[in-house]
Amino acid sequence: DNIVAQKSKQLAELIRSSSKIVFLTGAGISTASGIPDFRGPKGVWTLEEMGMSPDVNIDFQTAVPTLTHFAIAEICRIRDKSCYVISQNVDNLHMRSGLDKEKLSEVHGNIFTEKCPSCGREFERGKPSESIGMKKTGNLCTARKIRNIRCRGKLVDTVLDWEDPLPFDELSESERRCSDADLCVVLGTTLQIQPTGNMPLKTKRGGGKIAIVNLQKTRIDSSADLVINAKCDEVMKVVCEELSLTIPSVPHPPCEGLRMVKECFRPEPPKFRVKRVKVDKDLGIVKTEEGCGDSASDVVKQEEK
C-alpha cells in the first residue's frame, strides 16, 4: 500500500546516504523460495504452538534466491567494502545470489559449507551436508600453507546444533561490523535469538540508525529509526527502483566438488614444542618423546601403556 511504498522510499534514502551498511537477515527473506520461517503466519514455531505439524521437508538444493537475496548482493557489489551481511540462515541462498563470502558472516552455519579447524578456511560443496554439529565430513583441506605444503586438515560441517556455541570468528566480525556501521538494515527476523538479536543495538550505540523490515513486530522496534511491517521482497523491489539498480535474477550454479570460498580470519596457529611422557606401569620405565603440537594445551601430555 501507500504507507509501505513511502517507507520503502525512506529506506532507499537511508541506504543512499549511509557510508557503512550492515544487512542482518533471517528466515523471512527465504520464504518466497519455499523455505519456511519460524514465527511467520505459517512458520515452524507458529504452527507448533497451534498444535499443527509444520512441513519441514525442504529441498535446499533446488531452492533459488529471492528478490531480496539478489537485491542485497547487488547493493553489496556496488558499495563494495562499505557493505556487509550477517545471516542467521543456513540455506546458502546469499552465496547463490552472487554475494561474495568475504562480505558475509553466517552465524548459524551453512548447509553447503565445510570448514577446516586447522587453518580456518571455508569450502563450498555441491550438495547439502548430511550432518550438523561440526562433525567431520570425510574431506581434507586442500589449502596451501607455508612452503606450499597442503594443510590436509579434516573438514567439518558448519551448521550448528542447539548446544553449539556461535563460531567465534563469525560472531566477532559481525559485532565489529555492527559497531562501525552507520546503518543496520534488519530483514526477515524477529531478532529473538541471541546474541544476534542485539547486534543492531551496537549500531545504535555507535550513533548509527536501525531500519527493520519484517511482517511481525520485533523486540527492538522501539529503538529503530524506521519500521516496515511488510514482505521483504515487496520492500526491496521499491528500494532498488529508487536506487536505480537492476536486480539480477539468475542464481549462481551449484558448486561442483569443493571450492574454497573464504580465507581464514586468523593467521595459522603457531606450533608448540610438545613433550609426551610414556609410562610403562609393569616395567616402571618412563620414556620421553618430543614433537610438535597445535596448541599450548598440548605442551605436556601423558600416555599410559
Side-chain angles (χ1 to χ4, degrees):
D1 56 19
N2 290 336
I3 296 178
V4 172
Q6 188 62 37
K7 287 188 173 184
S8 299
K9 293 178 181 179
Q10 292 178 34
L11 176 57
E13 183 55 37
L14 285 174
I15 292 173
R16 182 184 289 113
S17 60
S18 298
S19 58
K20 293 182 179 180
I21 305 168
V22 168
F23 290 97
L24 198 164
T25 65
I29 73 167
S30 297
T31 53
S33 296
I35 300 173
D37 59 7
F38 294 94
R39 296 188 180 274
K42 296 183 179 180
V44 173
W45 293 342
T46 302
L47 293 176
E48 286 180 349
E49 289 172 358
M50 297 169 60
M52 302 171 65
S53 298
D55 181 10
V56 292
N57 294 320
I58 306 162
D59 187 353
F60 286 102
Q61 198 158 5
T62 60
V64 295
T66 65
L67 182 149
T68 298
H69 288 101
F70 284 118
I72 292 172
E74 184 65 9
I75 293 171
C76 289
R77 185 188 67 80
I78 292 174
R79 301 297 294 264
D80 197 22
K81 295 181 180 179
S82 66
C83 196
Y84 198 76
V85 179
I86 303 166
S87 178
Q88 301 174 98
N89 302 336
V90 301
D91 52 30
N92 200 45
L93 294 184
H94 276 303
M95 290 179 62
R96 289 288 309 280
S97 70
L99 182 66
D100 188 343
K101 188 67 170 71
E102 295 292 338
K103 300 177 183 177
L104 172 65
S105 281
E106 295 172 301
V107 293
H108 295 160
N110 183 328
I111 201 168
F112 289 88
T113 299
E114 298 182 10
K115 187 171 184 176
C116 177
S118 297
C119 69
R121 292 175 174 86
E122 294 184 16
F123 297 81
E124 184 182 9
R125 53 183 287 159
K127 296 181 180 180
S129 173
E130 296 178 357
S131 64
I132 64 171
M134 295 177 286
K135 295 181 177 66
K136 294 176 183 178
T137 64
N139 295 318
L140 297 179
C141 180
T142 58
R144 297 285 179 175
K145 301 171 68 176
I146 300 172
R147 300 189 185 93
N148 204 32
I149 299 173
R150 281 194 177 184
C151 173
R152 297 188 66 80
K154 295 180 179 180
L155 301 184
V156 298
D157 70 75
T158 62
V159 180
L160 303 185
D161 207 344
W162 284 106
E163 68 273 11
D164 293 327
L166 267 64
F168 175 79
D169 291 337
E170 307 279 348
L171 181 60
S172 58
E173 181 70 4
S174 298
E175 291 178 337
R176 184 185 73 81
R177 293 281 185 165
C178 285
S179 297
D180 291 346
D182 49 13
L183 175 63
C184 180
V185 182
V186 178
L187 292 161
T189 173
T190 55
L191 301 172
Q192 295 291 333
I193 305 298
Q194 301 303 328
T196 316
N198 284 332
M199 286 185 184
L201 299 178
K202 292 182 178 293
T203 301
K204 193 73 171 181
R205 285 194 287 268
K209 296 181 178 180
I210 301 173
I212 298 175
V213 182
N214 197 57
L215 279 174
Q216 295 80 34
K217 293 180 179 180
T218 78
R219 50 188 296 276
I220 67 166
D221 279 2
S222 59
S223 300
D225 298 272
L226 177 64
V227 177
I228 310 175
N229 294 127
K231 292 182 178 181
C232 295
D233 283 2
E234 179 183 353
V235 172
M236 293 305 292
K237 184 172 186 281
V238 176
V239 166
C240 288
E241 289 173 353
E242 289 296 308
L243 297 176
S244 300
L245 298 180
T246 301
I247 305 174
S249 58
V250 180
H252 281 210
C255 173
E256 294 185 7
L258 286 176
R259 177 176 68 94
M260 188 189 301
V261 292
K262 195 171 193 177
E263 292 285 349
C264 51
F265 281 116
R266 61 187 185 281
E268 293 181 8
K271 293 290 184 181
F272 295 84
R273 295 302 301 175
V274 176
K275 180 182 288 185
R276 292 182 172 86
V277 181
K278 290 189 175 182
V279 182
D280 190 318
K281 290 182 177 180
D282 298 328
L283 301 177
I285 299 175
V286 177
K287 296 181 180 179
T288 300
E289 297 178 356
E290 290 194 357
C292 288
D294 293 323
S295 67
S297 62
D298 287 337
V299 171
V300 176
K301 290 185 177 180
Q302 291 188 352
E303 297 177 0
E304 294 187 358
K305 183 178 177 182

